[in-house]
Every structure is written in C-alpha cells, then in structure tokens.
C-alpha cells in the first residue's frame, strides 16, 4: 500500500460510496458523496471546510480526507487532543514525514522544530496555537513558520487553519522561494542602509579613526559576523591591525601581519582581488596568521582598500562559524572599500591642502591669488596682512584690488604682459601701515583653471638686497679706485724709485773701487747692501703686481734645464759666501709648456733655500717626471717649517721665521701665482733625509723630448 494513501480502510478512496443510515439499497443523491468525483475537482485548497459540519461526522471525515488527498497543498488533520489524524500526499512529498513519523503534535514538534527545542515555553506556545485553532472564532489567524523537513532542509511555510469541530485542518503552503527572495531583499536593503550610513558618516567625519571604527562595527553587525578589521599598510609593506571589532583589546594597534603570501592579508594584496575562506582548517592556498587561529576563525573574506598602485590597507571580515559569503556580500564590501578609499584620499588631500596653506602663510613672501578677469584679490596670505595692518586689511576687503596694495600696478598692463608670456617679474615699492617703504620684486604667473583665469602674484621683500647692491657698487668703486692707486704706486716703484736706486748702486760701486779708507769702505758697503735690498724689494713688488693683474699667459715649449742652471748662476756669489754645496740631480732636457716668467719661480725657490740654509749645508735641485707633469724639487737642510705654517706659507705677505732668518713675504706668493697661471700645483714637505724642507711645483709637459732635442 502506498504510504501516501489515507488510512481509512481497504477500499479505494477514489471509488468508495458512503451511504447514510436511513437509506435503502439505493442512496439518495442529496446525502450520498462520491469521493474523488468531479464535484470536488475544483475545490479551493484553502476553502472553508466548516461548511460540511452539518453532516454526519463519519461521512464528513471520509469526505474531507478524500478531498485533501488530491489537493496540491500540503495538508494535515489534527484532533483536538493533539493526535495527528492524517497527512496528505503533498505533505509527504514536500516535508518527507509520514503519519508513522509524527503520530502526535509533540513528536511532530521534536522533528520539525529542532532548532527551537522542546521546551516548556514552546510546548505552551504550540498548545496555545491548537487552542486558537479549535476556538469558536470563525476567523483564524494565519502564521508563518520555518520547518525542518525530513531531509534536514529548513523551509518556510504559510499555515492556514480550519476548525471541523473535533478536528482541525492545517494547510501548509511552501513559501520558501518567496521567503528567500524576501530575505535576500531585506538583507540587501540592510546592506544598502549600512552603506548609506557609512557614507553619511564619511561625509561629516573629521577624524578618520572614528570613521574606521564606526565602519568595522557596522559591517560586522550587518553581516552578522564576530570579527571585522581594517589593516593599514605600513611603509615597510607590513599590515597593522589599526581598527577592529571582536578582537581582544590588546590586538588593536599592536598586531602586525607580514606582507607574505602565507597570510590571508598578504595573499589578498598579491592576488589584487577579494579572497574568500570557506573553511580555514581545510584551506590550501595559505595557512593564515596565528591571530585567526587564536580566535577560532573558520570563514572569512578580505578585500583591498585601494588598488595595487596605491594600497591603503585591507578590509577583513571573519566568523567562527562556517559561512558561505555570497556575491551580495562581496558587492557590499566593495562598496564599503570604495567609500573608505575615497574618504582616505579626500582626507589626505585636505591635509595636503592644509599643509600647503600653512606653508604659504608661513612664507616670508607676500602671496596673492588674483581673478584674471576682474582683478579682485581672491586670496592673500598672512604676510600680506602683516604688512597692511588692520586699516589696510579693511581697505583691501572694501576694495579687493591689487592696486589697493600697490598703487602703481595696473591690472590691464599685467594682463597684456601675461598674454605675451606666462610669467614675468617686475620691481615696485610698497608703503606699509607704519609708513615703512619696502622694495618688492613681484613675480606674476598666469594660471588657467578650465574656463577661469587666475594670476599668482608672489612679492618678495628685496629692500636689504637693494641696500646691499648699493653698498656693493660703492665698494666696487672704491676697489676700482684702490687698484688705480696700486697701479700708480707700482709705476712709481718701477720707474721713479727704481731709477734713483740704480743710480745710487752705480755711484756706490764706483766709490768702493776708488776708496782706500777702511771706515769709509765699511760705510759704502752698508750703503750698497741696503740699496741692493731696496732694489730687490721694488723689483719683487713690481713682478708680483704684474702677475696679479694677469689672467692668462701664452705658453711655448721651453726646456727647464737651462732655466734651472741660469737661476743657480744668478746666486753664485751668495752660494760662495755661505760655502753651500748645490747639487744638481738633473740631466735634461725637460720640455714644458711654459712662459719665460717661470724662471722667477726657480729663482725664488733657490733664493729661499740659500737664505734658510746654514753655512756649509747642501741644497739639492731636481726634476722628476710624473705622467704629463714635470715636478721641480728644491731641497734644503735648514731648520724646516712648522706644520701650522705650511698651509699659509705661500700666501701673500706671509712670513716664515727659521732661526734668525726672516722671509720677505712676497717671494713664495710670486711662485704660487706663477704656477697658478701655469695650471700647476705648489707645495712644501718635510725633508725625509733629516732637517730642512722640500719645496716643489709642477708644470705641464711639452712636446716629446727627442723631437725637441
């Protein structure tokens, strides 16, 4: 027998005839009902069956059962004592329960509502429901319940009730599809309400921290999950759990997750798309950070805030239950991340604008933005108002023109010049509120913003610069005059003084040849010696003056060997007087790109070595080749030069004292100047063989020696 057939006897319900007690062998048509006949083919499944209550109970029951059997709606009959009398075929097909599975309402309640449980309260509610079903009221209140089918599916049903006196009929209409759609719509409406709420919060939020915390709490409550967080990307590439809900308090602002693919966060950043975890324990793409395991996370979804080029962070949602995140969930989180990144970028832009404004206000320049059409001042920094003072500020508000600040400025002329060039600079004067006159250098720049035109004016106070320029011009004139005086003085030394000194030298030499008196000879010798020093000083000064005024020399190929030998011969008398041994460590030739004036460098170094050498000492003169340079070396065995004086020994008027010998102060500076004009180097070192010094200078090599020779 088919379990879906009604348990009312062995006869087929489709062909069973029921006769009344007072009928004969032939049933009357008024009290005879044919179960399954065409009389009931168009019965409304939700019809008011109480209309049949005026017939005999047995006939009513069989008739009702026969009708319910074929109805396309799940139906069940319950006695007023709680016993389930009948379930139709649709009930069995839809819910899966037969009458053997649910003989009573309590058994039915256990299997159909396990998510509620068989508590005293729910039993009471169920009996109240049955009492209302069997109440005298004609209008029964329909209800909606979520019932668990035998295959464990939870389905939504609409329950309608009909009272048949000692029995009640319940019609269960499956509304799962419409209910699911309704729940999806409500769920989506809830998400959209959350998006609108977060968007409104983002518009008016002054603090990004408040917005982020509001967002994670709103997202968690909307999705019905325990955890939600925003992980901010740090400059080093790691992610900081900056804002969150559901986590332990110590985690917020402390947990740092590496930007590695073995973490959910790092994997999301690399994939550049939403990543869903259905079950963390069976996940194979990554292991998950210890933070997730410590909080028993099972499912989750993460999404980038921003893009790969500019990633602000990751929005993460987690649940301890198994959760299948839907496409609607992904779209919802995408809308949230769009709001967050736009808000973050807006706040960053606002901070940059505030910083820019602060920098402009702290600038020492006067900055103005002027309307390119009307000439109105649209913006002026604080420096402008410090120059204007309260009265000037009020005047600028009443007449916001650049001419209010600088009367000589004409807006039309500025526009004409900016039409020719995008920027130009001019100078003008400005009188401050305390009647101080400032010289200003004003830079005008044209700025086109779509259809609007602006002029950026940056005025710099150049009063000190102007004063310094005037002073510099005065100093330059004084220097020019001093140079003229120097040239005149040099000419006087070279001609007017040197000629008489030469005459004195000639007459003194003549007297020395003819005089025999010892006293007079001594006096003439003193005159000749001092006059020689005077001539030497004048010649040295004249040479240095000429060298100092030179900027370049004309070079030729010159052999340094004869210059060196002739320079030594010039001092042969002094060498003989002191009994010095001059050693020449040279063979030649030494071809250099030089000017004949370089012989003065030889003479000054040899003269310097003679003066600072004791009687009977050696002086070594040598020339060495280094790459493309010749190095001329003069070594003496005197007392040497102290290290602190070496850096300045070649400076003008610098004097080095060694024993009782005092330098003149210009000889070595002449050497330095000559070598500078030859683009060489000059220096002094300690004598490695003992006491004394090693003076040297370098000049560029000339043509190949063999060719010259």
């Amino acid at each position: 027998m088919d379990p879906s057939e009604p348990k009312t006897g062995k006869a087929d319900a489709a062909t069973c005839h029921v006769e009344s007690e007072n009928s004969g062998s032939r049933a009357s048509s008024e009290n005879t009902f044919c179960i399954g006949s065409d009389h009931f083919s168009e019965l409304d499944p939700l019809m008011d069956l109480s209309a049949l209550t005026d017939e005999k109970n047995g006939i009513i029951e069989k008739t009702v059962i026969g009708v319910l059997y074929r109805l396309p709606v799940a139906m069940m009959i319950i006695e007023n004592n709680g016993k389930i009398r009948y379930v139709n075929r649709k009930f069995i097909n839809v819910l899966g329960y037969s009458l053997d599975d649910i003989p009573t309402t309590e058994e039915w309640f256990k299997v159909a509502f396990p998510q509620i449980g068989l508590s005293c309260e729910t039993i009471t509610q169920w009996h109240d429901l049955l009492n209302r079903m069997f109440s005298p009221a004609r209008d029964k209140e329909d209800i909606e319940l979520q019932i668990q089918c035998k295959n464990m599916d939870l389905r939504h049903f609409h329950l309608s009730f009909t009272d048949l006196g000692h029995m009640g009929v319940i019609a269960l209409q499956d509304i799962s599809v419409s209910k699911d759609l309704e729940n999806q719509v409500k769920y989506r409406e809830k998400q959209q309400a959350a998006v609108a709420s977060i968007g409104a919060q983002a518009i008016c939020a002054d603090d990004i921290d408040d917005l982020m915390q509001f967002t994670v709490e709103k997202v968690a409550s909307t999705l019905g999950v325990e955890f939600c967080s925003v992980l901010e990307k740090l400059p080093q590439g790691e992610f900081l759990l900056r804002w969150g809900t559901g986590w332990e308090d110590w985690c917020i602002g402390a947990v740092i997750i590496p930007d590695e693919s073995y973490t959910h966060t790092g994997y999301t950043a690399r994939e550049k798309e939403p990543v869903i975890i259905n079950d963390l324990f069976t996940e194979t793409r990554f292991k998950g950070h210890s933070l997730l395991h410590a909080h028993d996370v099972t499912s989750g979804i993460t999404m980038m805030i921003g893009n790969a080029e500019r990633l602000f962070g990751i929005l993460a949602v987690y649940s301890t239950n198994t959760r299948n995140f839907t496409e609607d969930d992904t779209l919802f989180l995408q809308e949230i991340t769009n709001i967050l990144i736009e808000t973050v970028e807006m706040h960053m832009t606002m901070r940059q604008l505030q910083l820019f404004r602060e920098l402009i206000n702290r600038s020492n320049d006067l900055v103005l933005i002027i309307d390119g059409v009307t000439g109105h001042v649209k913006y002026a920094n604080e420096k402008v108002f410090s120059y204007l003072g309260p009265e000037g500020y009020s005047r600028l508000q009443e007449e916001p023109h650049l001419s209010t600040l600088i009367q000589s400025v004409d807006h039309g002329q500025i526009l004409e010049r900016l039409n020719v060039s995008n920027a130009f600079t001019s100078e003008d004067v400005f009188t401050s509120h305390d009647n101080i006159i400032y010289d200003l250098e004003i830079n005008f720049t044209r700025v086109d913003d779509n259809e609007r035109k602006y002029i950026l004016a940056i005025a710099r106070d150049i009063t000190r610069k102007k004063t310094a320029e005037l002073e510099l011009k005065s100093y330059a004139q004084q220097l020019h005059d001093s140079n003229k005086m120097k040239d005149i003085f040099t000419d006087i030394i070279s001609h007017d003084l040197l000629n008489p000194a030469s005459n004195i030298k000639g007459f003194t030499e003549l007297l020395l040849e003819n005089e025999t008196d010892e006293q007079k000879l001594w006096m003439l010798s003193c005159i000749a010696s001092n006059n020689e020093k005077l001539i030497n000083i004048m010649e040295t000064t004249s040479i240095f003056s000429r060298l100092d005024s030179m900027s370049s020399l004309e070079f030729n190929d010159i052999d340094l060997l004869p210059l060196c030998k002739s320079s030594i011969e010039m001092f042969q008398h002094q060498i003989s007087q002191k009994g010095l041994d001059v050693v020449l460590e040279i063979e030649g030739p030494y071809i250099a790109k030089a000017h004949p004036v370089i012989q003065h460098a030889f003479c000054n170094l040899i003269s310097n070595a003679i003066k600072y050498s004791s009687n009977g000492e050696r002086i070594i003169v040598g020339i060495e080749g280094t790459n493309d340079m010749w190095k001329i070396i003069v070594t003496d065995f005197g007392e040497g030069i102290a290290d602190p004086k070496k850096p300045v020994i070649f400076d003008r008027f610098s004097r080095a004292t060694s024993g009782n010998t005092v330098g003149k102060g210009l000889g070595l500076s002449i050497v330095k100047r000559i070598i500078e004009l030859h683009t060489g180097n000059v220096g002094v070192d300690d004598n490695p063989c003992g006491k004394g010094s090693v003076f040297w200078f370098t000049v560029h090599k000339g043509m190949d020696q063999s060719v010259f020779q």
Side-chain angles (χ1 to χ4, degrees):
M1 174 177 162
D2 191 338
S4 63
E5 293 182 358
K7 299 182 180 181
T8 57
K10 296 182 180 180
D12 186 357
T15 59
C16 177
H17 289 76
V18 181
E19 298 182 359
S20 65
E21 296 177 358
N22 299 325
S23 65
S25 60
R26 189 172 57 187
S28 171
S29 61
E30 295 180 357
N31 54 13
T32 301
F33 300 91
C34 181
I35 306 298
S37 66
D38 293 339
H39 294 86
F40 302 99
S41 60
E42 296 181 359
L43 279 175
D44 186 348
L46 301 181
M47 63 180 291
D48 188 0
L49 299 178
S50 62
L52 303 176
T53 57
D54 56 347
E55 303 294 339
K56 298 291 183 177
N57 288 340
I59 298 174
I60 293 173
E61 181 178 348
K62 293 179 181 180
T63 303
V64 170
I65 289 174
V67 171
L68 298 183
Y69 177 72
R70 290 172 173 79
L71 290 180
V73 178
M75 308 288 285
M76 64 188 305
I77 297 176
I78 302 177
E79 295 181 354
N80 55 13
N81 61 3
K83 181 181 179 181
I84 298 178
R85 183 65 176 272
Y86 175 74
V87 294
N88 72 342
R89 181 171 56 187
K90 188 67 174 179
F91 185 96
I92 297 174
N93 292 338
V94 174
L95 283 89
Y97 299 113
S98 66
L99 197 58
D100 294 333
D101 298 323
I102 49 174
T104 65
T105 54
E106 290 189 2
E107 293 297 327
W108 156 250
F109 205 65
K110 288 180 182 179
V111 297
F113 307 97
Q115 73 278 15
I116 300 176
L118 191 61
S119 64
C120 295
E121 181 181 358
T122 54
I123 292 176
T124 302
Q125 292 174 349
W126 181 252
H127 285 302
D128 290 343
L129 178 64
L130 294 177
N131 290 334
R132 289 199 308 271
M133 184 174 64
F134 294 109
S135 66
R138 296 281 301 173
D139 297 331
K140 310 298 180 182
E141 182 181 356
D142 295 351
I143 65 171
E144 292 182 1
L145 288 177
Q146 191 176 23
I147 301 174
Q148 179 172 289
C149 301
K150 192 173 183 178
N151 61 1
M152 308 304 290
D153 287 343
L154 286 173
R155 303 180 69 86
H156 289 274
F157 291 90
H158 180 92
L159 276 65
S160 301
F161 308 99
T162 300
D163 181 15
L164 298 181
H166 65 288
M167 290 185 299
V169 179
I170 302 178
L172 298 88
Q173 186 176 3
D174 189 355
I175 58 172
S176 298
V177 175
S178 60
K179 199 66 178 178
D180 289 344
L181 292 174
E182 180 184 346
N183 290 338
Q184 290 178 11
V185 171
K186 290 182 179 179
Y187 186 56
R188 190 59 181 155
E189 288 177 350
K190 183 179 180 181
Q191 291 180 344
Q192 290 302 314
V195 171
S197 178
I198 294 173
Q201 186 77 9
I203 293 174
C204 60
D206 295 328
D207 190 348
I208 197 70
D209 292 327
D210 293 341
L211 171 64
M212 291 296 183
Q213 190 59 38
F214 175 82
T215 299
V216 295
E217 293 174 359
K218 194 70 175 178
V219 169
S221 63
T222 302
L223 295 180
V225 296
E226 299 92 332
F227 308 104
C228 182
S229 55
V230 172
L231 299 107
E232 181 183 5
K233 186 175 183 181
L234 301 176
Q236 298 83 359
E238 301 168 319
F239 292 92
L240 172 65
L241 202 165
R242 179 76 72 181
W243 304 276
T245 184
W247 311 101
E248 296 181 65
D249 293 339
W250 68 268
C251 298
I252 308 301
V255 174
I256 295 179
I257 299 177
D259 182 20
E260 301 293 343
S261 58
Y262 68 83
T263 66
H264 192 192
T265 304
Y267 187 84
T268 304
R270 277 165 172 66
E271 290 296 312
K272 303 178 179 59
E273 61 183 15
V275 178
I276 297 176
I277 302 175
N278 293 323
D279 189 344
L280 182 60
F281 300 100
T282 60
E283 181 61 56
T284 58
R285 294 171 295 178
F286 43 82
K287 296 180 180 179
H289 193 262
S290 58
L291 175 72
L292 305 183
H293 295 285
H295 288 80
D296 298 325
V297 166
T298 300
S299 301
I301 179 173
T302 50
M303 187 171 295
M304 292 196 307
I305 304 175
N307 50 46
E309 289 73 24
R310 191 171 184 180
L311 179 61
F312 172 77
I314 300 292
L315 176 63
V317 173
Y318 296 105
S319 175
T320 57
N321 300 317
T322 301
R323 169 75 176 266
N324 294 323
F325 290 95
T326 64
E327 184 178 355
D328 286 343
D329 296 333
T330 304
L331 293 175
F332 167 64
L333 294 177
Q334 186 66 64
E335 292 174 337
I336 299 300
T337 56
N338 290 340
I339 293 174
L340 293 181
I341 191 59
E342 289 178 4
T343 305
V344 168
E345 290 180 348
M346 181 184 69
H347 275 259
M348 293 176 64
T349 302
M350 292 300 297
R351 284 199 298 267
Q352 291 175 351
L353 289 175
Q354 291 173 358
L355 176 61
F356 183 67
R357 181 184 291 270
E358 184 68 20
L359 293 174
I360 291 179
N361 284 332
R362 292 190 179 186
S363 173
N364 290 325
D365 297 334
L366 288 74
V367 181
L368 302 102
I369 299 177
I370 306 162
D371 192 302
V373 178
T374 64
H376 288 181
V377 176
K378 310 296 291 186
Y379 171 81
N381 69 340
E382 294 179 358
K383 196 68 174 181
V384 174
F385 299 121
S386 68
Y387 275 64
L388 288 175
E391 294 182 0
Y393 175 69
S394 300
R395 190 170 68 253
L396 182 62
Q397 285 185 319
E398 295 173 359
E399 300 179 9
H401 293 276
L402 184 59
S403 57
T404 304
L405 303 174
I406 306 173
Q407 296 180 355
S408 60
V409 173
D410 182 82
H411 180 66
Q413 294 179 354
I414 294 175
L415 288 179
E416 289 180 3
R417 295 190 63 178
L418 289 177
N419 287 332
V420 177
S421 174
N422 287 333
F424 71 91
T425 302
S426 65
E427 293 184 2
D428 217 311
V429 294
F430 169 75
T431 304
S432 67
H433 64 95
D434 48 3
N435 294 322
I436 298 177
I437 298 176
Y438 293 94
D439 291 293
L440 297 180
E441 181 184 72
I442 310 175
N443 179 269
F444 295 96
T445 304
R446 185 180 69 189
V447 180
D448 295 334
D449 181 21
N450 295 328
E451 297 180 355
R452 300 299 301 271
K453 295 182 179 180
Y454 297 95
I455 299 173
L456 175 64
I458 301 177
R460 175 163 296 178
D461 182 4
I462 58 171
T463 305
R464 292 185 177 180
K465 177 183 175 183
K466 283 288 187 181
T467 303
E469 286 179 355
L470 294 175
E471 293 177 352
L472 185 60
K473 288 180 180 179
S474 176
Y475 295 150
Q477 185 61 41
Q478 294 177 18
L479 182 61
H480 180 264
D481 296 340
S482 298
N483 285 333
K484 288 183 66 177
M485 290 297 297
K486 184 197 72 171
D487 294 338
I488 294 172
F489 179 71
T490 302
D491 291 340
I492 291 173
I493 292 175
S494 301
H495 300 90
D496 298 342
L497 294 180
L498 190 58
N499 288 336
S502 298
N503 292 333
I504 293 173
K505 179 181 179 181
F507 286 119
T508 304
E509 290 176 349
L510 182 60
L511 291 173
L512 283 171
E513 291 178 358
N514 298 322
E515 185 61 55
T516 57
D517 186 275
E518 293 292 335
Q519 184 68 24
K520 291 180 180 180
L521 286 172
W522 177 80
M523 294 175 64
L524 288 172
S525 296
C526 289
I527 293 172
S529 174
N530 285 285
N531 187 65
E532 187 66 28
K533 291 180 180 179
L534 181 62
I535 291 173
N536 192 19
I537 291 172
M538 288 187 291
E539 288 179 344
T540 303
T541 304
S542 178
I543 292 171
F544 185 81
S545 178
R546 291 197 304 271
L547 291 173
D548 197 39
S549 62
M550 291 181 180
S551 59
S552 62
L553 296 173
E554 182 178 351
F555 301 126
N556 295 304
D557 288 333
I558 298 177
D559 187 1
L560 300 179
L561 180 59
L563 290 180
C564 182
K565 290 182 177 180
S566 62
S567 298
I568 295 173
E569 291 175 356
M570 291 181 185
F571 297 95
Q572 193 62 47
H573 179 67
Q574 292 91 328
I575 293 171
S576 300
Q577 282 185 332
K578 299 185 72 171
L580 300 175
D581 180 17
V582 179
V583 180
L584 294 177
E585 295 182 347
I586 53 179
E587 295 179 358
Y590 305 101
I591 312 305
K593 284 288 185 183
H595 187 275
V597 74
I598 199 171
Q599 185 166 13
H600 288 286
F602 280 97
C603 292
N604 277 283
L605 288 188
I606 293 171
S607 173
N608 186 74
I610 292 171
K611 290 179 180 180
Y612 287 95
S613 295
S614 301
N615 293 340
E617 290 288 356
R618 284 188 305 156
I619 296 175
I620 303 173
V621 179
I623 300 178
E624 297 178 354
T626 59
N627 296 328
D628 60 342
M629 305 290 287
W630 292 118
K631 185 175 183 180
I632 293 83
I633 304 170
V634 178
T635 304
D636 65 66
F637 291 83
E639 295 184 4
I641 299 173
D643 289 338
K645 294 184 179 180
K646 288 178 181 177
V648 297
I649 194 66
F650 290 94
D651 292 344
R652 188 184 307 181
F653 303 120
S654 175
R655 296 177 179 270
T657 302
S658 178
N660 296 324
T661 306
V662 180
K664 294 183 292 184
L666 283 179
L668 294 179
S669 61
I670 289 175
V671 175
K672 180 181 178 181
R673 180 57 184 162
I674 291 173
I675 301 307
E676 285 177 348
L677 291 172
H678 283 77
T679 65
N681 295 314
V682 64
V684 59
D685 301 315
D686 291 332
N687 188 346
C689 298
K691 63 179 182 178
S693 302
V694 178
F695 285 86
W696 55 267
F697 64 84
T698 61
V699 292
H700 291 276
K701 290 182 178 180
M703 62 183 295
D704 186 73
Q705 293 189 61
S706 60
V707 176
F708 185 86
Q709 191 171 12

